[in-house]
Amino acid sequence: MIQDPSTSSGNRLREEAVALFHEGIEAFDPEKAVTSALQSRSTELDLAKRVILISFGMEACSMARAALPFVVAKLHRSCIVTNCENKSAVKGMDITVSGYPLPDERSVAAGYAVERAARSAEPGDLVLVLISRGGSAMVCAPASGVLLADKIALNQALLHSGADISEINAVRQQFSRLKGGRLAQLATGARVLSLILSDIVGDDAGTIASGPTVQPATTAADALAVLIRYRLNGVMSGPLRSYANGLLQRTEEMSFSHVENLVVGSLNASLRKVIERAAVSHQTIFKVDELEGCASDVAATLHRLAKLQPAEAGPMAIVAGWSPAAKITGIRERNQELALRFAFLDEQAPIGHPWAFLSGGAGRDGSSTAAGAIVDANSISRIRKFGCEPGVLLEDGAFHHALQFSGDLLPTSSPSSAAAGLQILLINRTARH
């Protein structure tokens, strides 16, 4: 039997894309990130009288576990908050299980626990704060007079309003006792070292978990402007409107001279690692600095870039990172949707060379048990062999089922949900498909 050279090339590209993906995900490893950061902070740890450890988010347990050997001798108090799926043992520490993806009463209780831990700090102490994705929902501290139900309703209205993430955070921070740098203000007289794991493009520390230890870039006036711009006053409850109306009258002095924020692991670091490794075997590397929009928009952007690249022979890699916009709501398999839409686009307008496209994250994609998917020029035909129409499956949101048919799911062993993903497109321009 003579093997189709384009199929053989496609298989090699798939294998290489998966290998590159795993290299990138390793650069996102929370335990390695925390260990590396604290190894360079030995003097600061030695000078601390006591250490208060606060860790919250999906990676709270793994980050705390990595920090423990560095702080155990001086550990005075700890507070670890995560969701049920990500709870794992940390020696000698109790874990608080909280609500996610929506905050609930457990999140409010967790907020009080974080406050108590931070307030226990004294001059000479070090407050070590470990922050990861999901922290905003898991640690919820509504401002005085604001009910949890009101805060949830406001957040949902913001997500559906069309506001971008910076506008949403401007409002969230004004209605919280911890967001927008307020957690750092509770540790009076102590030093605060915040290690942040970022899965968003750009690594803006003030955006991750709404920046509880970061000096806010916006003001009360900015928050009110967002509420007016998107006509949200009409959907706010009486207590919310009352609180909002008093924002400009409230005075708040905040200092951050005692705070250091470090992004220790990030989507950008993963991208750099993938590009570094891809450069070994690919003549052309094209990096997309930021992908914006929904999956259909991103798929169209990447496919257009693939077709616009120079026609000369040689292997090419397009590498990108995608954080779906905050206004894109619901628990969906974003990476799987992106991969399937890309394959469907290519069937309509083929790139013309063997290719493999991977979209996946450091954890579960949406509510599925896969990290994402890897597709090629034959994925759509494989789905059709099962008597299914890919376009219909796309419209129905059955991305996972479609990719099960094509055998294109990317497995994961992580219980975490991935909010962002790596996109790796490899093209062999030495062969025709």
Side-chain angles (χ1 to χ4, degrees), residues 6-58:
S6 68
T7 301
S8 177
S9 176
N11 289 337
R12 288 196 300 272
L13 291 174
R14 288 174 68 94
E15 292 170 1
E16 185 175 1
V18 171
L20 289 172
F21 171 72
H22 287 303
E23 290 266 3
I25 293 304
E26 186 177 350
F28 191 77
D29 183 274
E31 294 194 32
K32 289 182 179 178
V34 170
T35 298
S36 177
L38 292 181
Q39 282 174 340
S40 64
R41 293 294 188 282
S42 58
T43 301
E44 194 168 351
L45 291 168
D46 289 342
L47 291 174
K49 182 176 69 175
R50 305 180 306 177
V51 174
I52 291 90
L53 175 64
I54 299 172
S55 184
F56 54 92
M58 290 188 185

Side-chain angles (χ1 to χ4, degrees), residues 69-133:
F70 295 91
V71 303
V72 64
K74 295 185 176 183
L75 187 63
H76 168 66
R77 187 166 187 163
S78 65
C79 179
I80 304 174
V81 181
T82 193
N83 58 329
C84 182
E85 291 80 3
N86 292 294
K87 181 182 178 181
S88 60
V90 182
K91 187 177 181 180
M93 297 186 186
D94 293 328
I95 315 297
T96 297
V97 173
S98 191
Y100 183 83
L102 293 177
D104 56 23
E105 293 298 337
R106 296 174 298 173
S107 307
V108 174
Y112 282 119
V114 168
E115 283 184 299
R116 288 193 296 271
R119 290 184 187 280
S120 72
E122 300 175 353
D125 288 348
L126 174 67
V127 180
L128 179 60
V129 185
L130 310 175
I131 301 173
S132 56
R133 52 197 168 145

Side-chain angles (χ1 to χ4, degrees), residues 27-29 33-34 196-199 203 262-269:
F28 191 77
D29 183 274
V34 170
I196 303 165
L197 195 66
S198 166
D199 69 336
D203 297 338
L262 292 176
V263 175
V264 295
S266 71
L267 180 60
N268 283 343

Side-chain angles (χ1 to χ4, degrees), residues 12-14 16-17 20 278 282 316-318 354-357 424-428:
R12 288 196 300 272
L13 291 174
R14 288 174 68 94
E16 185 175 1
L20 289 172
H282 289 77
M316 181 181 74
I318 297 177
W355 58 267
F357 174 61
I424 303 170
L425 173 60
L426 305 182
I427 305 173
N428 181 7

Side-chain angles (χ1 to χ4, degrees), residues 292-309:
E292 295 182 344
C294 62
S296 58
D297 293 337
V298 171
T301 297
L302 290 173
H303 192 258
R304 183 171 59 253
L305 286 172
K307 290 183 69 66
L308 286 175
Q309 293 310 303

